[in-house]
Amino acid sequence: MNYAVIKDGVVINIIVLNEENAADFPDAVPLPDNKAVTVGDAYENGDFLDAGELLLSRIETANQTIAELDALVVALTYQNIQLELGV
């Protein structure tokens, strides 16, 4: 599993660890869902940030995109209904 080594709230290295050896690296934090964390990213309150923006996993990014597209479809459907009704 990939781990980010944290020092003073900043990622200083990315390492691969066997979970059984994780206790040997107390400054290492597991990277769930293979988030695209890189050296220099911030780590605050259990979240990874890049330039102040929350880093999302691929599935979180996909779900966010799906939600945005769903909202657009609803808005366009509403506009089309208004046009058909002449409102």
Side-chain angles (χ1 to χ4, degrees), residues 7-8 16 26 28 43 84:
K7 183 174 182 179
D8 298 325
V16 178
Y43 182 71
E84 288 177 14

Side-chain angles (χ1 to χ4, degrees), residues 22-78:
D24 296 334
F25 297 85
D27 295 333
V29 176
L31 295 176
D33 299 325
N34 294 320
K35 292 190 181 202
V37 176
T38 59
V39 172
D41 289 342
Y43 182 71
E44 298 176 7
N45 303 318
D47 292 320
F48 291 96
L49 302 125
D50 180 22
E53 295 290 323
L54 181 65
L55 286 172
L56 302 175
S57 67
R58 289 183 204 124
I59 192 72
E60 290 169 328
T61 301
N63 286 336
Q64 184 178 37
T65 301
I66 290 167
E68 290 169 1
L69 291 172
D70 284 346
L72 288 172
V73 167
V74 169
L76 288 172
T77 301
Y78 183 70

